Amino acid sequence: MVVVSEKKAFELVRFENIIKRCPICLSDTEQTAYYAKAPDLSVTVHVDTEPKYTLVVRPTLEHTYEWDVLAECSRCKYMYRVMGVPRMRVKDIPRDTSREEHELALTCCDLCYNEYYRYTISEVFIKLSSIGNVYLCKEHAQEAEQEKKREGGYTSLAARLSRWGSVKEKPILVNLEDGRQLILKSNNDLSMNILSLLSERGSATRGEINRMPWLKDSGMDAINDAVSYLKGMSLVQEALQGVIIKKEVLSLTEDGEMAAYALSRRRKR
């Protein structure tokens, strides 16, 4: 479970206590509910990259309101946006707000974070008996539900979760030429080396990558995992080539070319 939080000041008016399951600590307990005037629901995250990086995580909101409902859990003390509470008519909301500081929390997709270091807001909660509590974004939740319909359970999802190490490597911050910044996993330099190889050669098959003298000790499983990661980051693309004998060939996307160039500049410093 990935939770990001920040202490923020809100214009609040307290209106009632509610009994609700806290999405942060998952306790069924009493929550103190508030009306918040035009609350800023973003959370600033200081990412432990090399070099350090600060980003802002924002929830996906279909509609914004002058007044929103927030609640604070009596157990974990986190504040969060709450749905399913009867809304007052705007004219009935008391105007005597007070400015208070509370710790606002957001939950992020476990797959996006652990596989790509993306802080994507979660929308679905799943409890797996073998893994524990998992939050998923809309896209990954759809994949999981399709798998459940097909296989009767979350087998592939559980397998993906079980591959995560308890100690995570420090990600790399890459500055692209167009001004964007990417947070990249190095996979112990394997992903970075594959980007460098494809930049030099233009294209290569997985087998050719595995036969490179400086990559062959990695093993095919590790190379496949690194390639899957780079494809998921939209840095590498794979296509069939050949007339008689067709083979899957990897090449860099436009973003991949910019990332490879930025990494080469880092290495020359």
Side-chain angles (χ1 to χ4, degrees):
M1 181 187 297
V2 178
V3 176
V4 293
S5 67
E6 179 185 0
K7 182 165 280 191
K8 309 189 72 163
F10 299 96
E11 291 291 336
L12 301 172
V13 54
R14 181 173 175 173
F15 74 98
E16 65 180 26
N17 288 351
I18 57 176
I19 303 297
K20 192 174 179 67
R21 168 167 285 191
C22 172
I24 314 302
C25 69
L26 302 176
S27 298
D28 289 307
T29 185
E30 189 174 69
Q31 324 288 330
T32 306
Y34 301 87
Y35 275 101
K37 187 172 183 179
D40 176 8
L41 301 177
S42 65
V43 170
T44 301
V45 179
H46 303 287
V47 188
D48 187 23
T49 56
E50 183 58 49
K52 302 287 187 183
Y53 179 58
T54 299
L55 62 84
V56 178
V57 182
R58 301 181 187 278
T60 302
L61 300 176
E62 294 182 2
H63 303 283
T64 57
Y65 301 94
E66 180 187 3
W67 293 88
D68 225 321
V69 180
L70 305 181
E72 184 178 68
C73 177
S74 61
R75 186 160 298 174
C76 68
K77 303 302 181 184
Y78 282 127
M79 178 171 274
Y80 57 93
R81 184 172 184 254
V82 64
M83 305 298 291
V85 174
R87 289 181 176 275
M88 290 183 188
R89 289 178 298 180
V90 172
K91 69 181 185 65
D92 294 330
I93 298 175
R95 300 295 164 151
D96 54 338
T97 63
S98 59
R99 190 167 180 81
E100 302 176 18
E101 279 199 343
H102 294 266
E103 189 84 5
L104 178 71
L106 300 173
T107 56
C108 297
C109 175
D110 287 279
L111 285 177
C112 288
Y113 175 76
N114 284 279
E115 295 191 354
Y116 303 110
Y117 282 102
R118 289 177 181 154
Y119 290 82
T120 308
I121 294 298
S122 66
E123 298 188 26
V124 173
F125 169 76
I126 296 177
K127 187 177 181 67
L128 298 178
S129 57
S130 59
I131 301 297
N133 302 321
V134 179
Y135 279 109
L136 299 177
C137 64
K138 185 176 181 180
E139 181 180 341
H140 283 131
Q142 288 174 344
E143 290 179 11
E145 288 310 309
Q146 288 171 1
E147 177 196 3
K148 186 178 181 181
K149 289 180 182 178
R150 186 175 61 251
E151 302 180 14
Y154 300 108
T155 308
S156 299
L157 175 61
R160 289 172 74 176
L161 302 179
S162 65
R163 288 203 299 267
W164 301 340
S166 57
V167 179
K168 296 181 67 65
E169 61 174 297
K170 181 175 288 192
I172 299 168
L173 180 67
V174 178
N175 296 297
L176 303 184
E177 289 178 289
D178 62 4
R180 286 179 296 146
Q181 294 179 306
L182 291 180
I183 299 175
L184 297 179
K185 294 198 303 185
S186 72
N187 291 312
N188 297 320
D189 290 332
L190 182 55
S191 294
M192 306 300 100
N193 288 336
I194 291 174
L195 286 176
S196 177
L197 173 67
L198 293 177
S199 178
E200 293 171 6
R201 292 173 57 109
S203 63
T205 65
R206 294 176 189 242
E208 288 170 340
I209 293 173
N210 191 40
R211 289 193 291 273
M212 291 290 111
W214 43 291
L215 289 174
K216 64 180 182 180
D217 291 337
S218 300
M220 203 64 202
D221 287 344
I223 287 174
N224 285 335
D225 284 345
V227 169
S228 295
Y229 163 70
L230 292 170
K231 288 174 67 178
M233 291 295 291
S234 299
L235 301 179
V236 165
Q237 57 195 354
E238 194 166 17
L240 280 173
Q241 290 186 8
V243 179
I244 300 175
I245 301 176
K246 294 188 178 294
K247 54 185 179 180
E248 295 278 359
V249 176
L250 298 162
S251 61
L252 296 179
T253 63
E254 185 177 342
D255 280 358
E257 291 173 357
M258 286 193 285
Y261 175 69
L263 287 166
S264 68
R265 291 180 61 189
R266 282 172 59 102
R267 288 170 176 165
K268 290 176 182 177
R269 290 175 186 169

